[in-house]
Amino acid sequence: MGEWAHGLFSCFNDLGACFMVTFLPCIPFGKNMEAAGLTSCFVGGLILFVPLLDIICWFKLRGAIREQHGIEGSLFGDILSIFCCGWCAMIQETQQCKLSPQGGMARA
């Protein structure tokens, strides 16, 4: 099993992702949902505005990214990452989705 390509607190490694997650989080969230094969970018972005559904989908998203990239972890770890440092977790997911695993989640 592997690890995340960027640490949870490597937020500033990708200033573009940092900016997008800070000011327009629905866009990277939607792109990550699409890259993980969970839903379209548009629907994923809208999900972020629906209380409770956004959190549930975020857990599913992080788990799907871990699974597709062969990253060790658990639902409990995902919950801690999202609740304790949500923006950092979303930036980490965005950075990971930009990589091309064996499943082909690459995007520009």
Side-chain angles (χ1 to χ4, degrees), residues 77-91:
D78 294 344
I79 291 169
L80 285 177
S81 297
I82 289 168
F83 282 123
C84 293
C85 199
W87 288 158
C88 293
M90 192 179 297
I91 293 168

Side-chain angles (χ1 to χ4, degrees), residues 1-42:
M1 298 296 284
E3 294 183 7
W4 292 92
H6 300 273
L8 186 62
F9 300 109
S10 299
C11 303
F12 297 108
N13 288 350
D14 184 346
L15 291 178
C18 186
F19 178 82
M20 290 299 289
V21 167
T22 301
F23 296 106
L24 297 166
C26 59
I27 294 173
F29 187 80
K31 286 183 176 182
N32 292 346
M33 292 287 281
E34 184 174 56
L38 297 176
T39 189
S40 72
C41 180
F42 181 73

Side-chain angles (χ1 to χ4, degrees), residues 67-78:
E67 184 177 314
Q68 290 179 355
H69 288 268
I71 298 170
E72 286 185 50
S74 65
L75 177 60
F76 181 71
D78 294 344

